[in-house]
């Protein structure tokens, strides 16, 4: 057993002893299907603290010849899988934590030489008769062992992209890329690699369009493929934790949900969920583990359209993003699309994969309350975003006036919101009117599930706000152009909500809003009822 060659299973053992441990062991079944095939090159990218390193620890403990992990796996799901016995502790594993290596190296510019030397020393000890030389590169070491002993390898590199994120010296970075190419684009060594598993925040580094390591399949935040459920918490996993720890699941969703990956529409931030369960309190935990400037720096870049899109997303909206131009480096931002794609990989934005039959680009958005608070902090003291701070205050006041049934104040607030959100050419456009009202109520995202065009038994309500915090009423908002607010109220009453609101009990406000195109004024009518079907 070594530190880097055929490591033990102590890291997995420690992970299993965590107060909260979610069984993600079936990722091993996925790896076994790729093992020793043409698809054996995997790059799994996720934001920090999303569990990718824990998955790497598990994979290493499963394959490594340096330990016997049967007992550790016996109560995990993989133990019941037909593939479990096939590769259990019978393969040479090389496991390198590049972030740890970077922090340990006293001379960063000689990083590759530093960690290559550490690994080579363990090979010399494990294979003394192979004739490994002091100046052999790591690919050459593996070639010698394979040629003489027929030994094959699983290679795991955790935080493979640390040199990208640390903006390493160009010469060092090029040397590191040569190391990766020597390991994985090497025809002589290829038969000896049974599985390569890289993890990082960013997918494989690209040179403009083409990846130098194009043999890797990327499992990322914009295309997670079939590994979605193994990094991050699913809705069922999170719901089970909330039940166990007596925490409100809907509130947990509001704080930490929002990442939609492929067919799994709800992925929760695992770091934050675990902290909330252990502390019995919802709060900002994941955002405290990273650099505030990492977000602020990129939001404030002066790319065309970025400001308007940031305001839209902070207001709860989604914006189109072209993820295809980003080349996964830190010095190649050319458009707002590059910025937003990078923030998706960091976890500060979520990505909605397009239906390519009808859409060209996907959409990005702020996933949850915890992240939205970080965005608000990032723009709070920048004069370019002063208007959004004013909108936040106005929206907060609008919610309070609506709940207090202050009809005149609500109408006056909507006058201002409509003027702010539209221009003279689109002022009387009904779609613009609806958009302006939705934006005016965007602060409701902090206390409500906001549903635009809620389907009812008879048609649609323009806006429905269903509370997920106690002691505030639900709001059903109906909009009318050039008709009375009373008619909007009657329209609400004529629709059927029983099926959709069957789990809601409590006060509800029917809010009728009318807009007069000639006077450009709003009127408002609010009726309070007790909804209990």
């Amino acid at each position: 057993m070594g530190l880097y060659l055929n490591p033990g299973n102590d890291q997995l053992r420690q992970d299993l002893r965590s107060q909260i441990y979610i069984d993600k062991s079936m990722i091993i079944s996925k790896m076994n299907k790729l093992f020793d095939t043409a698809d054996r090159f995997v790059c799994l990218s996720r934001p920090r603290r999303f569990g990718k390193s824990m998955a790497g620890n598990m994979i290493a403990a499963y394959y490594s010849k340096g330990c016997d992990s049967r007992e550790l796996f016996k109560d995990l799901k993989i133990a019941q899988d037909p593939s479990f016995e096939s590769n259990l502790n019978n393969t040479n594993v090389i496991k390198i934590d590049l972030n740890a290596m970077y922090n340990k190296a006293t001379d960063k510019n000689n990083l590759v030489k530093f960690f290559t030397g550490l690994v080579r020393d363990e090979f010399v000890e494990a294979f003394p008769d192979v004739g490994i030389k002091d100046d052999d590169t790591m690919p050459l070491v593996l070639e010698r062992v394979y040629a003489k002993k027929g030994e094959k390898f699983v290679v795991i590199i955790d935080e493979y992209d640390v040199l990208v994120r640390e903006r390493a010296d160009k010469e060092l970075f090029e040397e590191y890329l040569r190391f990766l190419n020597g390991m994985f684009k090497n025809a002589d060594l290829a038969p000896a690699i049974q599985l390569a598993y890289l993890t990082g925040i960013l997918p494989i580094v690209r040179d403009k369009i083409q990846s130098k390591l194009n043999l890797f399949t990327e499992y990322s935040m914009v295309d997670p493929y079939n590994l979605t459920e193994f990094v991050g918490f699913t809705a069922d996993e999170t719901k089970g934790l909330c039940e166990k720890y007596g925490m409100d699941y809907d509130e947990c969703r509001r704080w930490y949900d929002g990442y939609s990956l492929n067919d799994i529409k709800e992925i929760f931030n695992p770091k934050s969920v675990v902290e909330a369960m252990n502390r019995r309190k919802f709060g900002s935990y994941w955002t405290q583990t990273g650099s505030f400037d990492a977000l602020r720096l990129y939001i404030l870049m002066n790319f065309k359209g970025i400001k308007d899109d940031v305001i839209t997303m902070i207001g709860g909206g989604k914006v189109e993003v072209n993820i295809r131009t980003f080349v996964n480096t830190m010095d190649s931002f050319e458009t707002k699309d590059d910025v937003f794609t990078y923030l998706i990989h960091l976890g500060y934005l979520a990505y909605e994969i397009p239906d390519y039959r009808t859409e060209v680009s996907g959409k990005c958005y702020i996933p949850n309350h915890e992240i939205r608070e970080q965005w608000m902090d990032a723009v709070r003291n920048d004069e370019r975003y002063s208007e959004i701070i004013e909108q936040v205050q106005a929206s907060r006041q609008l919610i309070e006036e609506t709940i207090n049934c202050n009809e005149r104040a609500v109408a006056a607030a909507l006058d201002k919101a409509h003027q702010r959100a539209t221009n003279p050419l689109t002022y009387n456009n009904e779609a613009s009117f609806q958009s302006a009202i939705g934006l005016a109520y965007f602060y409701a995202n902090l206390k409500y599930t906001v549903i635009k065009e809620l389907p009812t038994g008879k048609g649609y309500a323009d806006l429905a706000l269903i509370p997920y915090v106690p002691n505030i009423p639900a709001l059903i908002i109906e909009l009318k152009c050039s008709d009375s607010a009373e008619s909007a109220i009657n329209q609400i009453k004529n629709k059927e909500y029983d099926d959709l609101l069957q789990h809601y009990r409590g006060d509800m406000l029917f809010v009728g809003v009318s807009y007069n195109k000639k006077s450009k004024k709003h009127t408002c009518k609010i009726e309070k009822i007790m909804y209990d079907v």
Side-chain angles (χ1 to χ4, degrees):
M1 182 182 76
L3 290 176
Y4 315 112
L5 174 62
N6 291 328
N9 52 28
D10 287 344
Q11 287 183 310
L12 174 61
R13 192 183 305 276
Q14 289 176 340
D15 291 342
L16 291 172
R17 289 173 178 168
S18 301
Q19 293 183 63
I20 294 176
Y21 183 82
I22 298 295
D23 184 353
K24 299 288 187 177
S25 62
M26 288 303 290
I27 193 173
I28 293 172
S29 177
K30 298 288 187 183
M31 295 302 106
N32 280 337
K33 291 177 181 178
L34 305 177
F35 192 83
D36 226 7
T37 72
D39 303 313
R40 64 193 183 278
F41 299 95
V42 174
C43 180
L44 178 68
S45 61
R46 291 291 188 278
R48 55 188 165 75
R49 307 306 297 273
F50 256 65
K52 56 187 180 294
S53 295
M54 292 181 71
N57 295 340
M58 183 186 304
I59 292 169
Y62 171 77
Y63 287 112
S64 176
K65 282 184 176 181
C67 55
D68 182 353
S69 299
R70 184 180 299 275
E71 188 69 16
L72 291 181
F73 282 108
K74 70 175 184 178
D75 295 324
L76 300 181
K77 295 175 185 177
I78 187 62
Q80 306 304 316
D81 189 81
S83 74
F84 178 62
E85 296 290 342
S86 59
N87 299 303
L88 179 63
N89 298 132
N90 64 4
T91 305
N92 292 296
V93 169
I94 302 168
K95 186 173 185 292
I96 300 170
D97 181 344
L98 197 67
N99 186 56
M101 292 291 188
Y102 186 80
N103 290 327
K104 284 190 289 188
T106 54
D107 182 0
K108 309 298 185 190
N109 290 329
N110 284 315
L111 177 66
V112 176
K113 182 178 180 180
F114 171 70
F115 72 74
T116 297
L118 292 176
V119 178
R120 185 176 55 234
D121 288 346
E122 292 194 1
F123 266 88
V124 170
E125 185 175 348
F127 303 101
D129 57 337
V130 169
I132 297 171
K133 299 178 181 179
D134 291 343
D135 59 350
D136 280 351
T137 63
M138 192 183 302
L140 187 53
V141 169
L142 269 62
E143 285 181 31
R144 292 188 190 280
V145 172
Y146 175 63
K148 192 160 187 177
K149 297 287 189 179
E151 297 281 355
K152 297 186 177 184
F153 303 91
V154 168
V155 181
I156 301 171
I157 303 180
D158 195 17
E159 304 287 357
Y160 97 97
D161 60 337
V162 67
L163 294 185
V164 180
R165 292 183 278 115
E166 293 292 338
R167 298 176 182 267
D169 175 82
K170 182 178 180 180
E171 187 174 335
L172 170 60
F173 185 64
E174 291 296 330
E175 182 183 8
Y176 177 59
L177 287 183
R178 288 194 294 272
F179 161 76
L180 292 176
N181 283 317
M183 289 289 293
F184 305 121
K185 292 199 76 171
N186 180 341
D188 295 330
L189 185 55
I193 305 296
Q194 294 180 294
L195 178 70
Y197 180 86
L198 309 186
T199 77
I201 291 176
L202 297 174
I204 293 293
V205 174
R206 299 180 183 278
D207 180 8
K208 297 301 181 184
I209 300 301
Q210 182 63 42
S211 170
K212 292 182 178 180
L213 295 172
N214 55 10
L215 69 172
F216 276 83
T217 300
E218 298 174 356
Y219 302 79
S220 70
M221 291 297 284
V222 298
D223 189 6
Y225 193 29
N226 60 357
L227 297 185
T228 301
E229 64 187 285
F230 301 115
V231 186
F233 288 175
T234 65
D236 287 342
E237 291 166 346
T238 306
K239 190 176 295 184
L241 289 175
C242 287
E243 292 173 356
K244 179 178 179 180
Y245 288 88
M247 300 290 283
D248 185 275
Y249 173 67
D250 288 334
E251 184 72 353
C252 191
R253 288 179 65 192
R254 181 174 78 93
W255 273 90
Y256 311 126
D257 187 17
Y259 299 97
S260 177
L261 304 180
N262 276 3
D263 56 332
I264 299 181
K265 300 304 181 184
E266 293 185 280
I267 292 292
F268 290 70
N269 186 314
K271 164 66 177 177
S272 294
V273 170
V274 167
E275 290 292 336
M277 298 301 118
N278 284 333
R279 301 184 190 206
R280 305 297 198 278
K281 183 176 71 173
F282 297 112
S284 296
Y285 302 119
W286 178 79
T287 53
Q288 294 177 0
T289 67
S291 170
F292 172 81
D293 291 334
L295 174 61
R296 190 172 190 274
L297 172 66
Y298 295 104
I299 292 176
L300 300 182
M301 282 186 168
N302 193 29
F303 290 123
K304 182 180 179 180
I306 195 169
K307 175 186 166 185
D308 291 340
D309 283 352
V310 167
I311 290 174
T312 296
M313 289 190 289
I314 290 179
K318 299 178 181 179
V319 300
E320 288 193 355
V321 58
N322 179 2
I323 63 171
R324 296 181 295 277
T325 61
F326 184 53
V327 296
N328 303 345
T329 63
M330 302 293 292
D331 57 357
S332 58
F333 295 98
E334 297 179 354
T335 66
K336 68 175 182 179
D337 290 320
D338 293 338
V339 172
F340 291 157
T341 303
Y342 178 59
L343 293 175
I344 290 168
H345 290 302
L346 288 185
Y348 287 112
L349 289 175
Y351 180 65
E352 185 178 88
I353 297 173
D355 180 346
Y356 287 108
R357 294 170 299 180
T358 57
E359 300 171 294
V360 176
S361 298
K363 293 182 175 66
C364 61
Y365 57 95
I366 298 172
N368 54 50
H369 176 65
E370 180 183 26
I371 306 300
R372 181 174 283 106
E373 287 292 290
Q374 186 83 341
W375 279 73
M376 286 295 299
D377 289 342
V379 303
R380 196 175 303 278
N381 297 318
D382 189 275
E383 62 181 16
R384 285 174 291 176
Y385 288 91
S386 59
E387 63 188 271
I388 194 170
I389 303 304
E390 294 174 4
Q391 288 183 34
V392 168
Q393 300 299 332
S395 185
R396 180 189 287 119
Q397 184 67 29
L398 176 59
I399 294 291
E400 292 178 2
E401 299 292 4
T402 306
I403 290 174
N404 292 331
C405 298
N406 190 337
E407 296 170 346
R408 287 187 177 181
V410 170
L414 294 179
D415 283 343
K416 293 180 180 179
H418 198 164
Q419 292 171 3
R420 183 168 49 233
T422 59
N423 60 58
L425 295 177
T426 62
Y427 197 87
N428 287 330
N429 181 281
E430 289 194 28
S432 295
F433 173 43
Q434 292 175 338
S435 176
I437 301 303
L439 185 60
Y441 278 99
F442 85 85
Y443 185 78
N445 284 284
L446 303 182
K447 296 181 180 180
Y448 290 90
T449 297
V450 179
I451 307 171
K452 297 179 181 179
E453 294 192 332
L454 173 73
T456 70
K458 298 177 181 178
Y460 291 82
D462 289 309
L463 199 64
L465 280 62
I466 312 301
Y468 43 63
V469 298
N471 304 319
I472 59 174
L475 308 178
I476 304 296
I477 303 173
E478 190 75 31
L479 311 176
K480 301 290 285 186
C481 283
S482 298
D483 206 341
S484 67
E486 287 79 5
S487 69
I489 291 287
N490 291 332
Q491 189 167 325
I492 296 175
K493 291 178 178 178
N494 289 332
K495 295 177 179 178
E496 298 172 0
Y497 294 90
D498 291 359
D499 290 341
L500 289 159
L501 301 176
Q502 58 181 315
H503 299 298
Y504 179 74
R505 300 293 182 273
D507 289 341
M508 177 178 292
L509 301 182
F510 286 175
V511 182
V513 177
S514 174
Y515 166 63
N516 188 300
K517 292 184 178 181
K518 292 182 179 180
S519 67
K520 297 186 177 181
K521 293 293 184 180
H522 299 75
T523 56
C524 177
K525 181 73 174 176
I526 302 175
E527 287 192 14
K528 183 176 182 179
I529 67 169
M530 180 69 183
Y531 193 83
D532 189 6
V533 297

